[in-house]
Amino acid sequence: MSLEPGMLQAIAAVTGGDGVLTGDAAVPFYKDWRGRYQGDALAVVFPANTQQVSEVVQLCAKHRVAIVPQGGNTSLCGGSVPLTDGSQQIVLNLSRMNRIRNVDAVNYTMTVEAGCKLQSLYAAPEQADRLFPLGLTAIAPHCEIGGNLSTNAGGINVLRYGTARNLVLGLEVVLPDGRIWDGLRSLRKDNTGYDLKQLFIGAEGTLGIITAAVVKLFPLPKSVATACIAVRDPAAAVALLAHLRATCGDMINAFELISRSCLELVFRHINDTHEPFATQHEWLIITQLANVLPAPLETVLRDALLTFGAGVIEFDISADKERAERWWKLRKNIAEAQKAEGISIKHDVSVPVSRADEFIEQAGAALRNQYPGIRIVAFGHLGDGNIHYNISLLDAAHNATFIELHEHEVNRIVYEVVRKLDGSISAEHGVGQLKREEITHYRSGLELELMRTIKRSIDPLNLMNPGKVI
Ligand code: FAD
């Protein structure tokens, strides 16, 4: 790799010698979590504060070197790793900026730096009897709040609290020319012009670098009840969700769907996981309700057994954290189990909640018709109409060839069903490199033109995460 020695020395002078990594030590930061993308760069840079980010960005702008912002590097669409030609780009990793600056229990807000691991953001509010509800349960120890905001992350609690976008009151951002925008406001109401922070949330690092945020807190639930429910099919699950919402309202935090194929992978690859019921079922729901006691929830679910006939087969309820955690372990480990099994063609789609069962039925029928014998691993946040829908062969040894030959066609089949149902081909993971071409078929010409106009006006030199999103 041809280095820009002067520039890297100047960066090291800003961050300190331990703030710049090159050579073999930097290589892990150029690979994505799935092992699908392997890029290259001049260096990985670890600024320790906002001022350092600003100075590094100014140096990059001066030398026309592109910047790939990186948090926990858990992106599932190649957003956080550099492209293969690394001669004119650096990775800017925010992990050293990991301080909680402030918890304001009365204002129900917390000010955090971008590099805070998501998992590290739960304890401080809890000590103040508050909840930070962003719930990426499977990956919270690894991903960072800056990455969560830049991808507008979802997770299991969107049904009750919304996506990352809904949880932010203010941002601090370093712009592509190095200027610092201090928008760290903690106001519930602020109508002074355009809501600029929303541009950077979900932009996947293509417009600037988020260095800090003011996030919303909520009252800590006084009690939590979890239910594991066996349902006949996704249609019964959708009907049950509507029933639960009508009876329990806003108390439902999460409503997750798990198919049999997921359970089989989890039992095969994850230690100490077990069938939740004596009988095997094709579809399970794990739902969590806050501030509701097990007894009333049991009444609601007994009522559902009667209302939905064979649709709702059996259920179990627990207020005990450890027992509920055993059910959650099945859900949280699906991605890890799939990774252990081998590669697959992944989709992260959303459709209106009321049509989620139609998506699963129609996409499944179309794919099985074309590729008999494929394995469909369907699961996800049914409460938001967000289905993770992953395709592979039963024999992992033949997957690489299958994917190479058929990925395009499989995507066409799945995404056409999504289009028919007025859905989205990227619900919560983002676009990154993976869906950059794909979105051009599923967003209108006018929408793409507006996005490009915004990108050009904020980042005219195209230095922020080039080759991603747009
Ligand atoms: P990275 O992967 O490092 O970066 C993601 C994108 O944001 C990149 O484009 C990067 O350039 C940009 N970026 C990162 N930090 C900044 C910053 N400070 N400023 C500007 N741009 C930045 N996602 C969900 O939404 N819900 C889930 O339930 C979920 N579960 C997952 C489970 C597993 C096992 C895995 C591997 C991933 C999962 N994801 C999920 C996807 C991923 O974890 C999220 O997208 C997460 O928000 C990424 O955070 P990160 O810190 O790892 O960001």
Side-chain angles (χ1 to χ4, degrees), residues 33 68-76 78-81 94 114 135-139 142-156 200 203-206 208-211 331-332 335-336 381 388 428-430 432 464-465 468:
W33 185 88
V68 181
Q70 189 178 75
N73 196 16
T74 65
S75 166
L76 290 173
S80 53
V81 289
L94 279 296
L136 279 68
T137 46
I139 200 73
H142 306 287
C143 61
E144 297 173 6
I145 188 69
N148 302 144
L149 301 184
S150 299
T151 53
N152 184 25
I156 61 165
F200 298 96
E204 300 182 42
T206 60
I209 297 160
I210 296 175
T211 47
R331 169 65 186 89
K332 287 178 189 173
E336 279 298 335
H381 316 296
H388 300 311
E428 62 174 9
H429 295 161
M464 293 305 310
N465 217 359
K468 318 289 168 58

Side-chain angles (χ1 to χ4, degrees), residues 279-292:
T279 315
Q280 286 189 8
H281 296 288
E282 284 303 304
W283 296 93
L284 292 183
I285 294 293
I286 299 179
T287 185
Q288 189 188 69
L289 285 82
N291 299 323
V292 63

Side-chain angles (χ1 to χ4, degrees), residues 46-63:
F46 300 88
N49 55 50
T50 306
Q51 187 56 35
Q52 289 188 8
V53 175
S54 162
E55 289 176 33
V56 171
V57 172
Q58 285 175 51
L59 283 165
C60 288
K62 183 174 154 202
H63 291 271

